[in-house]
Amino acid sequence: MTTDTTAPSGRERAIARFAELVRTGEVEEHGGGLRLGIDLGTANVVVSVVDAANRPVAGGWVHSSVVRDGVVVDWAGATGAVRGLLADLESRLGHRFDRASVAVPPGIGAGDVRVFENVVSAAGPEPDEIVDEPVAAAHALGVTDGCVIDIGHGTTGVSVLEGGRVRLSVDEATGGHHMTLVLAGAHGLSYEEAEAMKKDPRRRDGVLGVIRPTLDKMASIADRVLAGVDVPVVHLVGGSSSFSNAPEVFAARLHRPVVRPIEPLFVTPLGIPMTAGEEDPS
């Protein structure tokens, strides 16, 4: 059983609206109490703003490979990306942020967490909350118990949550980067040409079959992690889960329903500044 639309309608609308705000630069009307989230990803840096009711207000993003395997590898690039996005965001909102929530991969060491915090501090706001990435995704989805699989550019992360907390988390190095390498080899392309092919909706028919074995490898990682774990439903997020056959491949391997929300790339960033336990956005 697979589906892309099982999240509550309010959550789906909020995720879709946030993606639209990021892509267009629009600002939503809001009721105050603005909160800022920062996502330092392997392929993108995304900033998000929600209001006191967890409704998306604004966002921004930039392609920037400043994190690799959960570690900030380009301090100057990370700080510059956050600073530039924040300046644009504050200009559009007419609001200055002195505090922010920042997401980190689950299970990284205290020293690496401090690096994420220091990047945010160097860009301006003080980090007042550190949120595990799967917890952020769960906030956006309204999930407190279950499994979140996050397929990023560099890794596949499998996390089991209980009561809104991460009980089990494994992150392995297979992600969108590896899809690109497979495409490059299959079609005799440079890495940059293969990456462009992967992202081009007009060429998806020529991509899906080639990357399917890589998706199946990701699913096998999840299957190994979830062996003996009672998780009735799996939530699939992350930009590299956006291919149409991803839920099908994971469901076939996991023998569980796999649900993928709309705009899976923007689920985790939206959830970072959210407060757990609030009513569904509407």
Side-chain angles (χ1 to χ4, degrees):
M1 172 184 175
T2 64
T3 179
D4 287 351
T5 57
T6 60
S9 60
R11 300 283 176 177
E12 288 284 307
R13 289 195 299 270
I15 295 166
R17 180 55 177 156
F18 175 63
E20 184 179 18
L21 293 173
V22 171
R23 292 183 174 122
T24 64
E26 297 175 9
V27 173
E28 190 68 88
E29 293 185 8
H30 56 87
L34 298 181
R35 298 192 299 270
L36 170 68
I38 298 173
D39 184 16
L40 298 173
T42 305
N44 301 287
V45 176
V46 186
V47 293
S48 54
V49 177
V50 300
D51 65 11
N54 280 342
R55 290 185 291 260
V57 173
W61 68 335
V62 63
H63 178 72
S64 183
S65 301
V66 296
V67 173
R68 187 177 305 134
D69 298 331
V71 177
V72 176
V73 295
D74 182 357
W75 166 270
T79 303
V82 175
R83 187 181 291 119
L85 287 169
L86 187 57
D88 175 67
L89 197 64
E90 291 180 335
S91 175
R92 285 187 279 129
L93 284 166
H95 178 87
R96 183 173 179 80
F97 292 96
D98 57 9
R99 309 188 76 78
S101 298
V102 59
V104 299
I108 67 172
D112 290 322
V113 171
R114 282 194 294 273
V115 174
F116 277 77
E117 291 179 297
N118 291 340
V119 165
V120 175
S121 295
E126 285 302 313
D128 64 348
E129 184 183 22
I130 305 300
V131 185
D132 282 343
E133 290 172 352
V135 173
H139 282 178
L141 296 171
V143 172
T144 56
D145 299 276
C147 176
V148 174
I149 299 177
D150 188 345
I151 308 177
H153 187 67
T155 63
T156 295
V158 184
S159 301
V160 177
L161 296 99
E162 288 184 355
R165 295 179 178 274
V166 177
R167 165 193 160 193
L168 170 68
S169 186
V170 173
D171 208 39
E172 293 198 13
T174 302
H177 165 68
H178 303 82
M179 294 177 179
T180 304
L181 291 175
V182 168
L183 281 171
H187 293 282
L189 304 172
S190 69
Y191 184 89
E192 291 74 18
E193 290 170 332
E195 185 75 3
M197 179 181 183
K198 185 180 72 175
K199 294 178 178 179
D200 188 346
R202 298 167 299 180
R203 305 178 74 181
R204 282 294 166 93
D205 288 345
V207 170
L208 295 179
V210 177
I211 66 167
R212 186 183 181 99
T214 309
L215 281 169
D216 188 63
K217 181 180 179 182
M218 298 170 182
S220 69
I221 293 170
D223 189 38
R224 187 172 67 252
V225 174
L226 295 176
V229 180
D230 183 17
V231 177
V233 179
V234 170
H235 301 269
L236 198 59
V237 301
S240 295
S241 74
S242 62
F243 296 97
S244 61
N245 59 344
E248 170 197 342
V249 171
F250 273 79
R253 175 70 70 163
L254 298 178
H255 306 291
R256 295 173 170 92
V258 174
V259 299
R260 180 183 57 192
I262 192 170
E263 299 282 5
L265 172 62
F266 294 105
V267 173
T268 297
L270 174 60
I272 295 169
M274 282 185 166
T275 301
E278 296 284 346
E279 296 181 358
D280 283 358
S282 58

